[in-house]
Each structure stands twice: as structure tokens, then as C-alpha cells.
Amino acid sequence: MVVADNTQQTTRLYELLSKVVDPEIPVLTLQDLGVLRAITVEDDEIKVTITPTYAGCPALETMRADIETTLAQAGFPSVTVKQSLSPAWTTDWMSEAGRKKLFEYGIAPPAAAACGRETGPAACPQCGSTDTQLVSEFGSTACKALHQCQDCREPFDYFKCI
Ligand SMILES: [Zn+2]
């Protein structure tokens, strides 16, 4: 049962967890990605629910450890990190701020209009050109594809739509 007087505590937990970053793309927080799903406090037990970007994501254990460490350092040692796979994570959950940060970091964010069409034109993070080409379905991680800009010739990662 969720106790009534924990609203302030939940807000504090959100503040703390909003600073936890993705192990693979450290410019993005788990909140930016939409990976952070829920924080609940029942009695003295804190439960954090996360949905990894894909099942079997190797970064999951790092995320779990980062969440536990962040809360433990702030005086919340009793934390359970739960994984929720249903509904599955989708790039639609990524915040606008997150998409902007990705682009500035040099990774083309998943364009909402391109979703459902994996090879849809991604804007080059270097020059903004949409004259880009898919080089490989697999970039530096399974979540990304490698593209190259036909204007400035720079290769860049494209965060694939899921
Ligand atoms: Zn370019």
C-alpha cells in the first residue's frame, strides 16, 4: 500500500533518478529515454520500474547498479529495481529534450515520421542535410544504424526507431 505522506519523498526520488544517465549514451538520462517508468514507495521499500530499450539489453545491469548507487548515496539503501518488458519500450517514449540532446551529441534521433520505415532519411547531425544514406543496419550498438551524409561525407549513428 502506498502511504499518503510519501509524496515529498517520491518527488525527491524523481529528482535523484532524473540524473541517472544511460550507460551507452551518457548525454541522455534514463528519464530522457523513457526507460524510467515508475517510482513507488510502499512502507519503507522503494521500487523503481525500468523498461530497457530492448530485451536483453547489456546495459540493464549497469542501469540497475547506477540507480541503486544513486539512491543509496542519498540515504535510500532499500531499493528494488524491477524490469518491465510489457509494454515494450519504443522510441516514442524518448522525450523531446532527449532527441535534441542526441542530435547535439552527434547521433541522429529517431524521427517520429520515419518510424515504421527504418531506413527513412535521417538528418545529418553535422550539417543538417537529409541527403543521407544507410551504410549499415548495425552501428556502435544494436540500437543504432550507421549512416553517412552525402553532403559533408561524415558518417553518423542513427538511433533506430522501435
Ligand atoms: Zn552532413
Side-chain angles (χ1 to χ4, degrees):
M1 199 183 82
V2 179
V3 288
D5 65 349
N6 67 13
T7 315
Q8 222 180 348
Q9 192 184 21
T10 311
T11 307
R12 172 83 181 123
L13 294 171
Y14 264 109
E15 274 173 15
L16 289 164
L17 291 181
S18 68
K19 295 183 183 75
V20 179
V21 298
D22 179 68
E24 288 181 351
I25 312 169
V27 289
L28 293 183
T29 65
L30 298 184
Q31 200 172 37
D32 286 331
L33 273 166
V35 161
L36 188 61
R37 302 312 297 165
I39 303 167
T40 56
V41 184
E42 289 171 33
D43 301 324
D44 279 333
E45 174 93 24
I46 296 163
K47 281 187 186 147
V48 179
T49 308
I50 57 172
T51 298
T53 51
Y54 56 97
C57 183
L60 185 71
E61 285 312 311
T62 311
M63 290 180 196
R64 187 194 297 274
D66 287 350
I67 288 169
E68 287 171 356
T69 306
T70 299
L71 294 185
Q73 283 172 349
F76 302 101
S78 182
V79 179
T80 307
V81 180
K82 286 198 306 178
Q83 183 187 180
S84 169
L85 293 176
S86 179
W89 184 85
T90 150
T91 31
D92 289 347
W93 293 358
M94 200 185 287
S95 69
E96 273 309 311
R99 287 166 205 265
K100 198 160 172 278
K101 280 193 252 180
L102 254 193
F103 190 77
E104 284 161 4
Y105 183 58
I107 298 174
C115 283
R117 201 157 62 90
E118 200 57 82
T119 55
C124 168
Q126 306 297 329
C127 70
S129 169
T130 50
D131 187 7
T132 60
Q133 206 173 40
L134 176 73
V135 177
S136 165
E137 278 293 344
F138 300 97
S140 55
T141 69
C143 301
K144 302 186 215 92
L146 185 65
H147 284 234
Q148 189 181 26
C149 177
Q150 301 301 293
D151 281 330
C152 72
R153 312 301 301 171
E154 283 293 323
F156 63 91
D157 272 335
Y158 170 62
F159 201 109
K160 292 194 268 191
C161 288
I162 303 173

